[in-house]
Amino acid sequence: MSSGIPVTGVSELVLYVKDLAAAERFYADALGLPVVERWGDPRAAVWVMAGDRTRIGLWGHEGPGIAGGRGGAHVHFAMHIDTADLDAAIERLRSHGLEVEIADFGDSGTAAYVTDPDGNVVELWTWDVAEHLRPR
């Protein structure tokens, strides 16, 4: 185990979105993530919870964010899901008219990929990345 800063997870992930309403429909309706906060102008944003420790900020504005952060093109991000919940999640996404790509990684679980309205690829992955820290 590392002797670095004792991080316990990811608290926030912020995405710049072109259409805040479309992004909210995707994350809150299609994915079913609960909306926990809304910001009005000049920094219009919607915050949703991904699990019990991570919130995702959907920021509907251009320009620097907190501490001068700038938006960029995201390749993808992954959220953990229990294996028992994956099939229902895939069905839910498809019921919202979304195309889902599935990848089987053998001992490293199964992933379902879907693209949000801004082109970010959202992955639902059954493998627990904490496996990296377990003694071998």
Side-chain angles (χ1 to χ4, degrees), residues 9 45 48 64 78 89 103 113 125 133:
V48 297
Y113 300 92
W125 193 11
L133 301 175

Side-chain angles (χ1 to χ4, degrees), residues 15-40:
L15 302 171
Y16 285 101
V17 301
K18 294 176 187 163
D19 182 335
L20 188 55
E24 181 176 350
R25 281 191 303 276
F26 176 82
Y27 287 92
D29 295 344
L31 291 179
L33 303 180
V35 173
V36 294
E37 194 172 346
R38 293 178 192 281
W39 294 354

Side-chain angles (χ1 to χ4, degrees), residues 57-69:
L58 309 171
W59 288 25
H61 64 88
E62 297 282 335
I66 295 172

Side-chain angles (χ1 to χ4, degrees), residues 20-134:
L20 188 55
E24 181 176 350
R25 281 191 303 276
F26 176 82
Y27 287 92
D29 295 344
L31 291 179
L33 303 180
V35 173
V36 294
E37 194 172 346
R38 293 178 192 281
W39 294 354
D41 289 330
R43 185 171 276 145
V46 172
W47 292 90
V48 297
M49 286 299 292
D52 61 1
R53 186 166 292 202
T54 305
R55 71 181 191 164
I56 299 173
L58 309 171
W59 288 25
H61 64 88
E62 297 282 335
I66 295 172
R70 293 183 297 269
H74 296 275
V75 175
H76 91 276
F77 65 94
M79 295 183 284
H80 179 261
I81 186 170
D82 287 329
T83 301
D85 297 325
L86 185 62
D87 288 340
I90 292 167
E91 234 1 85
R92 178 188 180 102
L93 294 169
R94 288 181 174 153
S95 76
H96 282 268
L98 298 167
E99 187 175 321
V100 180
E101 182 178 329
I102 300 167
D104 182 351
F105 297 114
D107 290 343
S108 295
T110 302
Y113 300 92
V114 64
T115 303
D116 79 5
D118 289 281
N120 297 301
V121 176
V122 179
E123 177 181 357
L124 302 175
W125 193 11
T126 63
W127 188 61
D128 183 357
V129 297
E131 186 68 29
H132 286 297
L133 301 175
R134 293 191 181 107

